[in-house]
Amino acid sequence: MAQNINERYHSSLTALITPMKKDGTLDEQAATRLIERQIQGGTTGLIPSGTTGESPTLSHAEHGRVVEHCVEVAAGRALVMAGAGSNSTHEAVGMARHAHKVGADALLVVVPYYNKPTQEGLYRHFMTVADATPLPLWLYCIPGRSVVDLTPETLGRLAKHPNIVGTKDATANLSRPLAVRREAGADFNQLSGEDGTILSFLAAGGHGCISVTSNVVPDLCSQLHRLWREGKVQEAIALQDRLLPLHDALFAETSPAPAKYAMSRLGLCESTLRLPMVEPTEGTKKRVDEALRLLGLLD
C-alpha cells in the first residue's frame, strides 16, 4: 500500500479554511466555490475540518457536515483527507468513523493539544484511532500548537500499524524528514505543514505539502510542485521566491485569520472568524494586500 500512497498523496494539498457568513454560521455556498477553485487549480487533496478550518470552534455536527460537504462536492476529483483530531481519543475515534461513513479517503489526526500526553500516551491515542476505521491515517505534528512533539522514534513505532501511512510535519525542522525516514522507512509518506520551507522539505525526501497558502493561490502552489517533480529546480525556486511574501504575510498572525482576510480581498468569501480568533491587525492586512499585489492579484 505504501507505494500506492506515495503515488496518490503528493504535491499540493490544501488545509481548507471553513468559510462563514457574517453572522458566524457556515457558508456552504462559499465552501462549494472554494472547493471547485481548488480542483480547477490542480490541488491533489483537500483537508476539511482541520485546525486551519477552525475545528476547535466547530460543533460536532458542523465538523461532520464540513467533511461530508467536501466529499460531496469533490466527488472523487480530489482526495479528501478529513480532519479527525481532538484532545479526547474518544472524540477523535467518533470523527474518524464519521469521515469513513461519509466517504472520505483518509484521515489527518493532530497531536492532542493542551493535555501534554507522554510519547506512550501519543502512541496509544493514535493506535486507537487507527484501529477504528480502515482509512489511511496521517499523524499531524505541530509542537507550536500542541506543545508536545511527536518524536521520530514514536513515529517509527506507529508506522508499523498498517493504517498509519504518513505524517504532516509542521516543525520547520528540515532534518526531521531524514530522521523520520530512518525510523519509519522510505515509503512512509511525509507531507510538510510549512509553506515557506517546502522545496527544502522535498529535497530532504518529502512528498508534498498540506498548505495554507494554497487556499489563496491553489494554481501557483500546484505549479510549484509540478516544476519540482519535472526537475525544473531553478524555475521552482523562482516561483518559491515570488510566493515567499505571501507565505510570510499569511503567518504574520495566527492562522487562518490572515488567510481568510486575503480570500475576502479576492472576493472569495467573508473574513469571518469565531472567537477566540479575531481579524488581523491593520499592519498585517497591509502586508497581505502588498503580497497579493506583488502576485498581480490586487490593483
Side-chain angles (χ1 to χ4, degrees), residues 27-51:
D27 189 343
E28 285 197 6
Q29 288 186 333
T32 297
R33 294 193 300 270
L34 296 181
I35 292 166
E36 290 291 351
R37 184 170 178 263
Q38 289 293 321
I39 294 169
Q40 292 167 14
T43 297
T44 302
L46 305 167
I47 295 86
S49 292
T51 48

Side-chain angles (χ1 to χ4, degrees):
M1 183 170 76
Q3 184 177 5
N4 180 258
I5 288 291
N6 290 333
E7 289 173 354
R8 299 183 71 204
Y9 293 85
H10 62 79
S11 302
S12 182
L13 300 90
T14 301
L16 292 171
I17 61 115
T18 300
M20 299 172 184
K21 300 175 183 177
K22 289 183 178 180
D23 65 2
T25 58
L26 301 185
D27 189 343
E28 285 197 6
Q29 288 186 333
T32 297
R33 294 193 300 270
L34 296 181
I35 292 166
E36 290 291 351
R37 184 170 178 263
Q38 289 293 321
I39 294 169
Q40 292 167 14
T43 297
T44 302
L46 305 167
I47 295 86
S49 292
T51 48
T52 301
E54 298 173 78
S55 58
T57 67
L58 300 179
S59 70
H60 288 180
E62 288 172 329
H63 186 288
R65 178 56 193 158
V66 168
V67 172
E68 185 175 15
H69 175 262
C70 185
V71 171
E72 291 169 356
V73 176
R77 295 174 295 161
L79 296 162
V80 176
M81 181 187 290
S86 173
N87 57 358
S88 162
T89 304
H90 177 76
E91 286 188 0
V93 166
M95 292 171 180
R97 286 175 174 164
H98 177 270
H100 178 232
K101 179 181 176 181
V102 300
D105 300 287
L107 302 170
L108 178 66
V109 183
V110 70
V111 167
Y113 37 86
Y114 186 80
N115 299 6
K116 294 182 70 174
T118 63
Q119 293 300 304
E120 181 62 24
L122 293 178
Y123 176 79
R124 296 187 195 182
H125 171 80
F126 288 119
M127 291 292 281
T128 300
V129 181
D131 283 340
T133 83
L135 293 180
L137 185 152
W138 274 254
L139 311 167
Y140 181 13
C141 180
I142 181 167
R145 295 216 185 198
S146 64
V147 181
V148 176
D149 187 15
L150 179 61
T151 68
E153 292 77 16
T154 303
L155 275 168
R157 289 180 67 197
L158 288 162
K160 296 175 183 177
H161 193 295
N163 294 343
I164 297 177
V165 300
T167 184
K168 175 185 176 182
D169 187 282
T171 64
N173 178 354
L174 292 174
S175 68
R176 181 60 68 97
L178 307 176
V180 170
R181 186 163 63 251
R182 181 181 63 231
E183 297 292 339
D187 289 333
F188 194 69
N189 188 265
Q190 297 198 59
L191 303 173
S192 173
E194 294 283 345
D195 281 292
T197 59
I198 182 54
L199 288 186
S200 300
F201 187 88
L202 294 173
H207 299 94
C209 180
I210 296 179
S211 170
V212 172
T213 302
S214 58
N215 278 285
V216 183
V217 284
D219 53 342
L220 294 180
C221 290
S222 176
Q223 182 184 353
L224 179 74
H225 288 269
R226 185 169 64 253
L227 290 169
W228 176 264
R229 290 171 70 85
E230 291 174 354
K232 298 176 180 178
V233 176
Q234 293 306 313
E235 292 178 47
I237 291 173
L239 180 52
Q240 174 183 249
D241 290 345
R242 286 184 61 207
L243 286 169
L244 189 58
L246 183 58
H247 294 328
D248 289 344
L250 294 184
F251 289 94
E253 292 184 33
T254 305
S255 181
K260 277 195 162 182
Y261 169 74
M263 296 169 78
S264 74
R265 293 287 282 142
L266 299 179
L268 298 170
C269 64
E270 298 288 343
S271 60
T272 308
L273 301 131
R274 285 185 178 172
L275 288 171
M277 301 296 295
V278 296
E279 67 278 2
T281 63
E282 290 304 313
T284 295
K285 289 179 180 179
K286 290 179 180 178
R287 286 186 66 178
V288 171
D289 287 350
E290 179 59 25
L292 294 174
R293 289 191 187 99
L294 289 171
L295 292 171
L297 300 174
L298 279 184
D299 295 330

